[in-house]
Amino acid sequence: MLLEIAVKTLAVLAAFLVLPLVVGQTEHKLMAHMQGRLGPMHAGRFHGWAQLIADGVKFAQKEDLVPDAADKPVFKLAPAVALLPYLLVLLFIPLGPGDLVGADLDMGLFIVIALVGVGVIAVLMAGWSSANKYTLLGALRGAAQLMAYELPLVLAAASIAVAAGTLSLPGIVEAWNPWWLLWQAPAALVFFTAGLAEIRRPPFDAPIADSELVFGYLTEYAGLRFALLLLAEYVGIVVIAALTSVLFLGGWRGPGPESLGWLWTLLKTGALAMVVIWLRVAWPRLRVDQIQALCWKGLVPIALAQLVLTTTVALAI
């Protein structure tokens, strides 16, 4: 029993350390191709394979600065608070059937949604403790955005939970049917869009708008602490993509033997991560008022309508 727990914990930790780096390297390459950037394609010669290593060395060499007026304990703790919830979320995401999940709990979906929402605390900690008006403005933008988009995220997740009749993530995958791709498509779109806003990815990056707020709540961070906050963003991409694939795309379900289910989960997660990267390149940043309008006038009504439809169908069946 203890050996099984240790193996699962190490596997989740390895995924936590490796998958975000893969997403980061992929982002370098896709953006280089889409925008004609030459630099990321030359480090290490062959297709710029060493660019990620070069970035890591650069962050490690930078001085670790803390503003004199900052609340130093809170300032130093913020990167850890940003990272830890995503590590815990990965414990509950099933990679495949059977034992290919860190922890299978009946309330898994509820716990995952709660952990994803912890990100707002890290944003407020970083912005307030930096003792800088631009970081504080960025933190307040981030808090308003995260608290608003939590509602459509929860409503969309509730729709799929009602359809499946369970809050267990493996249970949702087991109950999933291909026709849900059409029936639950509005909820999937709402969940994925709200997830982007939760991790503050473009076009929802107003909290770190460089043209307005220097770099928002990240302005005063440097060196490895800044690298950890960037790593939290990439882990967030993995988490949102993996949750969307598990809840709405059938997770490990796909053609071929069930033993290859883990491959289908990774492929679906990777495809959604590439969509997140493409949106950064192709979509302009939304204004703060546009972000709030999209949430309250667009996503919330759609999510509510989908939840009512799902509940009606579930009761009829």
Side-chain angles (χ1 to χ4, degrees), residues 2-180:
L2 292 177
L3 179 61
E4 181 182 354
I5 294 174
V7 170
K8 288 184 176 181
T9 303
L10 289 175
V12 170
L13 184 60
F16 177 76
L17 295 174
V18 173
L19 290 178
L21 299 181
V22 173
V23 171
Q25 182 78 340
T26 304
E27 182 169 62
H28 276 122
K29 303 312 166 190
L30 287 180
M31 292 180 65
H33 283 295
M34 292 177 182
Q35 298 179 331
R37 296 184 179 187
L38 298 179
M41 306 303 291
H42 284 269
R45 295 194 177 181
F46 179 71
H47 210 67
W49 66 270
Q51 182 63 48
L52 196 64
I53 299 175
D55 287 341
V57 172
K58 176 187 70 175
F59 284 125
Q61 289 179 334
K62 286 188 174 182
E63 186 178 359
D64 181 20
L65 299 174
V66 179
D68 291 335
D71 187 328
K72 293 178 176 57
V74 178
F75 182 88
K76 294 177 180 179
L77 188 60
V81 175
L83 268 173
L84 184 59
Y86 292 131
L87 172 59
L88 297 177
V89 168
L90 290 178
L91 285 170
F92 302 98
I93 298 178
L95 185 60
D99 294 331
L100 292 180
V101 58
D104 179 12
L105 300 181
D106 293 337
M107 299 289 288
L109 179 59
F110 176 81
I111 295 172
V112 163
I113 296 298
L115 288 172
V116 170
V118 174
V120 66
I121 299 177
V123 172
L124 287 172
M125 288 174 64
W128 176 81
S129 66
S130 296
N132 182 310
K133 61 183 179 182
Y134 294 108
T135 62
L136 182 58
L137 284 172
L140 293 177
R141 280 188 181 186
Q145 178 175 310
L146 294 175
M147 287 189 288
Y149 278 83
E150 193 75 14
L151 180 57
L153 188 79
V154 170
L155 291 174
S159 176
I160 200 71
V162 170
T166 179
L167 289 172
S168 167
L169 293 180
I172 290 174
V173 178
E174 292 287 352
W176 183 84
N177 282 300
W179 72 284
W180 287 11

Side-chain angles (χ1 to χ4, degrees), residues 243-270:
L243 282 176
T244 305
S245 67
V246 166
L247 294 177
F248 299 99
L249 301 181
W252 67 75
R253 305 281 291 275
E258 200 173 65
S259 59
L260 293 178
W262 61 271
L263 181 59
W264 282 110
T265 303
L266 291 178
L267 288 175
K268 294 172 184 177
T269 301

